[in-house]
Amino acid sequence: MLLDCAVIGGGPAGLNASLVLGRSRRKTILFDDNNPRNAVTSESHGFITRDGINPQELKRIAQEELGNYPDVKIEKQRVLSVAKKNGVFQITAEDGGTHNAKKVILATGFKEVLPDIQSIKEFYGTSLFSCPFCDGWELRDRPLAVISENQPAFHLAKVVSNWTDNLIVCTNGKRTLSADEKGILESRGIKVYEEKIRSLIGEKGFLQKIEFDGGEAVLRDGGFVLPEWEQATDIGIQLGCNMNERGGIETDSWKRTTVEGLYACGDTLMAGPSQLILAAGEGSMAAISINGALIEEKFM
């Protein structure tokens, strides 16, 4: 059977895209290997009517709702490859099965590479986070740290200062801040530590202090980390998509990539803040765009 669309990735972008496609009576298959970037997160915020929901519960509700639409099928497995032949996409799944589709949506997201700091994974998702708009409210007015080895540390520190006046910046041995940037931060009472972090100390995921190689320790209740981002899969690259300066897949406002019939949405674009509600909206836009394209093709 030739599907109207294959959606690769079962996060908020892929789920919302599948919902809109199902409601548009499009034969759709959604691939989800259930390996989300936010697996360490117990609460997701900033999504109206779902503020504070566990991401897996959000997924459960979404998949339950997709069950109301007979044209949508969920495959709980990973896609190994996608090839385009004679205008049709051939999707190969990990079970060896192949599926053909007129259109494909990549909603595969990205992977985070955390700074090389002892025990950082122990705290990530509990008291250390990546997005202040998602988790800043819960950490408000506490002694916090921004941990970053790259240039956006200056920007993130300014943003995090919206939630606390007790803030430090740690660059883990890297000198990524200019003298002007350091001066601006320190003039606002934000101390910059360029020494390498020896360890993060706390209990049950809750940070208590940051210890530096020189022996100094600073008490902190939590903070925000700037990880490096990488594509979760290389499918877009394999198909020849243009990539943006951050390594995300380049699209137009309708979520069309530079490959005809291939669309991308959500975190895989690496084009802005990473929030569930934004990803879901982009999934909806990609599905609307595909539906419009299929309608036009019908009348050609």
Side-chain angles (χ1 to χ4, degrees), residues 24-244:
S24 301
R25 309 183 75 179
R26 300 300 181 186
K27 297 293 183 183
T28 303
I29 188 167
L30 169 64
F31 290 95
D32 177 20
D33 66 356
N34 198 30
N35 187 29
R37 178 180 60 85
N38 62 2
V40 299
T41 303
S42 60
E43 293 183 358
S44 293
H45 299 280
F47 201 132
I48 192 73
T49 77
R50 292 293 182 265
D51 191 40
I53 193 171
N54 183 288
Q56 288 297 310
E57 175 64 8
L58 180 70
K59 176 180 281 191
R60 185 197 66 77
I61 294 170
Q63 290 182 346
E64 185 178 278
E65 290 176 346
L66 288 178
N68 295 323
Y69 301 95
D71 290 321
V72 179
K73 180 183 179 183
I74 300 175
E75 284 283 344
K76 296 182 178 180
Q77 58 177 318
R78 187 174 182 81
V79 169
L80 298 182
S81 66
V82 180
K84 188 180 182 184
K85 298 178 180 178
N86 299 321
V88 173
F89 293 94
Q90 186 176 78
I91 300 98
T92 302
E94 62 185 348
D95 67 355
T98 59
H99 305 266
N100 295 320
K102 299 175 185 176
K103 312 290 183 185
V104 167
I105 294 177
L106 292 179
T108 47
F110 58 74
K111 297 185 294 185
E112 293 175 325
V113 181
L114 296 172
D116 185 17
I117 300 171
Q118 182 181 333
S119 70
I120 192 169
K121 291 182 180 180
E122 178 184 331
F123 302 98
Y124 194 58
T126 303
S127 57
L128 291 177
F129 305 93
S130 62
C131 174
F133 292 100
C134 300
D135 299 288
W137 172 258
E138 283 66 35
L139 296 180
R140 67 193 184 279
D141 299 325
R142 298 184 185 182
L144 303 180
V146 164
I147 300 174
S148 173
E149 298 176 342
N150 53 46
Q151 186 65 22
F154 179 62
H155 173 72
L156 182 59
K158 291 191 294 182
V159 173
V160 174
S161 71
N162 184 69
W163 283 270
T164 183
D165 293 326
N166 190 345
L167 181 64
I168 65 172
V169 174
C170 308
T171 63
N172 195 33
K174 306 293 193 300
R175 296 187 179 275
T176 56
L177 295 173
S178 69
D180 285 345
E181 289 171 336
K182 288 170 60 178
I184 291 170
L185 293 176
E186 290 177 350
S187 72
R188 301 300 194 279
I190 301 171
K191 188 172 180 179
V192 176
Y193 290 82
E194 293 181 319
E195 194 173 357
K196 191 169 180 60
I197 296 172
R198 178 184 295 169
S199 63
L200 302 174
I201 299 169
E203 293 182 358
K204 298 181 179 179
F206 292 96
L207 185 66
Q208 295 174 345
K209 63 182 176 180
I210 299 173
E211 191 173 88
F212 298 92
D213 270 357
E216 183 178 3
V218 182
L219 298 179
R220 295 288 100 177
D221 284 356
F224 294 90
V225 181
L226 267 177
E228 298 290 337
W229 291 352
E230 297 178 353
Q231 286 290 330
T233 75
D234 63 355
I235 293 173
I237 296 171
Q238 287 180 9
L239 289 168
C241 290
N242 285 356
M243 312 299 283
N244 61 34

Side-chain angles (χ1 to χ4, degrees), residues 8-20:
I8 304 174
L15 287 164
N16 216 75
S18 299
L19 175 63
V20 175

Side-chain angles (χ1 to χ4, degrees), residues 229-231 237 243-250 268-270:
W229 291 352
E230 297 178 353
Q231 286 290 330
I237 296 171
M243 312 299 283
N244 61 34
E245 66 278 1
R246 300 184 69 176
I249 295 175
E250 183 180 297
T268 196
L269 306 187
M270 298 188 193

